[in-house]
Amino acid sequence: MIELKDVSKTFTLHNQGSAVIEVISNVSFAVAPGECVALTGASGAGKSTLMRMIYGNYLTQAGEIRIGGLDVVRSEPRDIIKLRRDVLGYVSQFLRVVPRVPTLDVVAEPLRALGVPTDEARDRASALLTQLNIPERLWSLSPTTFSGGEQQRVNIARGFAHSYPAMLLDEPTASLDAANREVVLSLIEDAKARGAAIIGIFHDEAARTRVCDREIDVGRFTPGMAA
Amino acid sequence: MTPLLSVQGITKRYGAHIGCADVSFDLYPGEVMGIVGESGSGKSTLLNCMAGHLTPDAGQVVFDTRTNGPRDTITMSEPERRMLGRTDWAFVHQHARDGLRMGVSAGGNVGERLMAVGERNYGDIRDKATDWLGRVEIDASRVDDRPTTFSGGMQQRLQIARNLVTGPRLVFMDEPTGGLDVSVQARLLDLLRGLVRDMGLSAIIVTHDLAVVRLLADRLMVMKSGRVVEAGLTDQVLDDPQHAYSQLLVSSVLQV
C-alpha cells in the first residue's frame, strides 16, 4: 500500500549561507494493508521529516514514494489533495483549525469533504468524540481553547473519521491519560483489522509493541547520525 | 479533466516597469489557489489581468464557459466578458466600497446582481437577497439599510453575498480579509470556507497573509518582482519552501 524506494531529502537554507543539510538518504521500505510499522530513532533522526515527505508536506529530492499507485514525489498538487481526501490520513501532533468552527464540525470535516451528508458526518463525529471522552457540552465550541490533551483527542477523532486505507500517525498517544490511550490503541487496532496500512511514531514503547508489527530505525538513513 | 481556468504566459508592463511576467497555471474545478508576495510583487496586477480589469500585453486567460467550452477571455468581445463578470465570475475587492453601491440598500445591492442576469419578479429577488444576507450573517432587519451604515466587516460580508448570489463558478478575491480586525477575519474565513466547499467554487485569492492562505487555499503561488518564484501545495510551500524568497517570507512571520 505504501512503498518507498531510494528516498532522499536535503534542506537548503538560502538565507543562512546556503547551508545544505542532508536529512535522509536512500530509504526503502514497504507497508502492506493491515500492517503497522513504527519509525524509531533518536530525536532529530528524521522520523517526522520522513512522515511529512510521505504526506507530501515536505518535498522529496530523490526516489519514489508510492501510495496506492500514486507517486507522491512526482504528483500534481490536485492529485495529492485527492489522495489526502480519499486514501491517506495523517494525525499530526498539532491541531490546526479555522477559528470559531465548532469541534463537532472540525471532526466531521474530512467526511464532508468526501461528500458525506452533514447529518451522517456529524453522527460519525459524535460517536468518535464520545469514544474519546470529549464531553458533549464542548462539541459546539471551537477546540482552539481546549487543553493540550483535549486538542490531541479532537485531532485523533478527526483523523479517524474517514476509514483511510493508509494512515500516518505522529505520536498519537502522547499527552493522553491511560483510559484515552487505550481508546486510541483500539482505534489503531480496528484500522489494522479493516486493512489499513499504518506508519506511526510512538515514543510510548508499550504502545509500540502492542500495535506495531515491525520497527524501522530511521537513524540508519540519517547521514552523520549512523551509530 | 478540463481546467476551469488556464492561464498562459500573462505579461503586463507599466512602461519599462514589469507588472507581472510570463505567469502560467491551470486551475481545476473546486480548487482554491492563493497568490502571495510582498507589496509590489505583481499579485494584484496578475489578478486584475485575469479578471478582465486590465489588458495584459501578452498571454491568454482561457475559461471553460458553460455553453461554448474553453474560450480566451482576453480576445472575447467586451459584452461577452461583461456577461461572464455578472454570471460565472465574481470579484471580491479588498475595500468593500469598491464592490458595493453605497447609495443603494443592502437588499438592493444583492438584488441588483440578480436583475443583471434577468430576474424580474420583485418578490423572488427580495426573498433571495434576504436569504443571502442570512447566509453571510447579516440580520434580515438590515435589508433596507444602506451599506454606509454597516461596519467594515458587515460591508465585506455584504460584498460577498452580492457576488455569490448568482452562483458563480470562479471567484477572484483581492485581500478579502485585509483591513479587518482579527476576530472579524476569523468569522469571514469560516464563512468563505463553508461557501467554497458547499457551492463547489473555485477561487483565486491574493493576499499577503500567510495564515489566511494556509486555511483557505489548496495551492499556493509565491510572486516576487512580477514573477512566480515557487508554486505547489499550500502546506508544502509554507512548511518546506524551496526558493530563497519563499524561505525569507515564511521565516519573517511573527509567531503569536
Side-chain angles (χ1 to χ4, degrees):
Chain A
M1 186 66 210
I2 305 175
E3 199 181 353
L4 279 74
K5 258 190 225 158
D6 303 321
V7 169
S8 301
K9 162 102 194 134
T10 54
F11 286 112
T12 307
L13 308 176
H14 292 286
N15 302 302
Q16 296 179 49
S18 294
V20 177
I21 303 171
E22 265 193 82
V23 275
I24 279 173
S25 65
N26 294 309
V27 181
S28 300
F29 67 88
V31 184
E35 197 182 20
C36 179
V37 170
L39 300 181
T40 61
S43 185
K47 302 183 292 292
S48 292
T49 297
L50 185 58
M51 198 169 258
R52 283 165 170 249
M53 288 158 66
I54 298 170
Y55 197 58
N57 178 224
Y58 281 1
L59 275 191
T60 300
Q61 268 72 28
E64 259 179 49
I65 300 176
R66 291 199 169 273
I67 298 160
L70 184 79
D71 182 2
V72 174
V73 179
R74 282 163 203 84
S75 291
E76 291 290 317
R78 68 173 183 283
D79 294 324
I80 296 181
I81 290 165
K82 192 171 179 316
L83 181 82
R84 289 175 177 183
R85 189 177 58 218
D86 303 338
V87 178
L88 182 63
Y90 176 40
V91 176
S92 70
Q93 286 178 272
F94 308 99
L95 181 67
R96 203 171 238 146
V97 294
V98 179
R100 222 179 65 119
V101 178
T103 297
L104 190 65
D105 291 336
V106 166
V107 175
E109 201 196 83
L111 291 171
R112 297 290 317 280
L114 283 161
V116 174
T118 313
D119 290 347
E120 202 182 319
R122 286 196 177 143
D123 286 348
R124 170 77 181 140
S126 313
L128 278 161
L129 288 170
T130 308
Q131 207 179 344
L132 285 156
N133 303 306
I134 303 285
E136 192 167 345
R137 64 190 156 81
L138 298 181
W139 296 358
S140 59
L141 308 176
S142 163
T144 41
T145 53
F146 289 6
S147 75
E150 283 166 344
Q151 291 198 3
Q152 171 74 348
R153 280 178 278 148
V154 170
N155 212 12
I156 289 166
R158 182 182 159 89
F160 281 88
H162 170 52
S163 304
Y164 298 101
M167 296 189 79
L168 306 170
L169 310 174
D170 194 347
E171 294 266 22
T173 55
S175 67
L176 296 185
D177 58 38
N180 285 309
R181 174 177 169 276
E182 186 55 36
V183 176
V184 174
L185 292 180
S186 67
L187 281 173
I188 298 173
E189 284 167 341
D190 292 348
K192 282 175 69 180
R194 64 167 168 77
I198 301 174
I199 297 178
I201 300 172
F202 299 89
H203 281 298
D204 174 353
E205 217 176 300
R208 190 163 70 212
T209 332
R210 178 164 146 198
V211 295
C212 298
D213 304 291
R214 278 188 293 141
E215 291 186 6
I216 289 170
D217 179 5
V218 179
R220 283 193 290 137
F221 309 107
T222 318
M225 267 195 72
Chain B
M1 193 167 28
T2 316
L4 182 67
L5 189 75
S6 179
V7 172
Q8 287 148 27
I10 289 292
T11 301
K12 173 76 183 172
R13 291 184 201 85
Y14 300 108
H17 178 75
I18 290 174
C20 63
D22 201 24
V23 177
S24 303
F25 67 91
D26 288 338
L27 186 77
Y28 287 81
E31 272 187 331
V32 177
M33 192 175 79
I35 304 176
V36 296
E38 60 200 359
S39 301
S41 59
K43 52 194 196 304
S44 292
T45 296
L46 174 64
L47 191 75
N48 283 310
C49 284
M50 292 189 287
H53 300 167
L54 283 173
T55 308
D57 297 311
Q60 287 185 312
V61 176
V62 179
F63 180 74
D64 187 16
T65 61
R66 281 184 216 226
T67 42
N68 299 314
R71 296 275 314 277
D72 182 3
T73 60
I74 289 169
T75 54
M76 77 172 36
S77 71
E78 184 64 28
E80 278 181 293
R81 195 162 51 235
R82 294 179 83 130
M83 194 61 201
L84 262 188
R86 286 200 296 266
T87 54
D88 270 351
W89 286 7
F91 196 102
V92 176
H93 295 264
Q94 175 177 3
H95 302 291
R97 52 182 60 241
D98 295 335
L100 290 172
R101 292 228 288 147
M102 299 307 280
V104 175
S105 71
N109 263 288
V110 180
E112 191 176 53
R113 216 170 123 110
L114 286 169
M115 288 194 280
V117 295
E119 293 232 18
R120 286 294 172 264
N121 183 305
Y122 176 79
D124 287 354
I125 292 173
R126 193 173 165 92
D127 288 348
K128 268 197 196 171
T130 312
D131 172 49
W132 265 95
L133 291 182
R135 288 208 225 180
V136 298
E137 304 173 14
I138 294 174
D139 196 272
S141 66
R142 304 297 301 271
V143 65
D144 295 317
D145 294 345
R146 290 184 184 184
T148 40
T149 66
F150 287 7
S151 69
M154 280 171 78
Q155 289 182 0
Q156 194 58 298
R157 279 180 274 133
L158 178 62
Q159 190 194 185
I160 288 166
R162 173 181 162 99
N163 270 283
L164 298 188
V165 66
T166 50
R169 291 190 293 154
L170 176 61
V171 185
F172 300 100
M173 298 190 213
D174 191 2
E175 302 275 8
T177 58
L180 300 175
D181 67 58
V182 283
S183 60
V184 178
Q185 268 194 26
R187 188 173 186 186
L188 198 65
L189 282 176
D190 174 18
L191 176 76
L192 283 173
R193 220 161 108 118
L195 291 171
V196 164
R197 183 192 55 218
D198 296 340
M199 299 175 72
L201 293 177
S202 301
I204 298 176
I205 302 174
V206 161
T207 181
H208 61 259
D209 190 334
L210 300 184
V212 167
V213 287
R214 189 187 282 274
L215 292 174
L216 283 182
D218 307 309
R219 290 164 58 190
L220 190 59
M221 280 195 335
V222 181
M223 291 188 71
K224 176 165 172 45
S225 311
R227 291 175 192 278
V228 175
V229 295
E230 185 164 352
L233 267 180
T234 301
D235 59 284
Q236 182 260 301
V237 174
L238 294 180
D239 294 337
D240 186 17
Q242 305 295 305
H243 189 275
Y245 177 69
S246 325
Q247 291 185 355
L248 182 68
L249 196 69
V250 170
S251 65
S252 303
V253 175
L254 301 175
Q255 303 276 328
V256 181

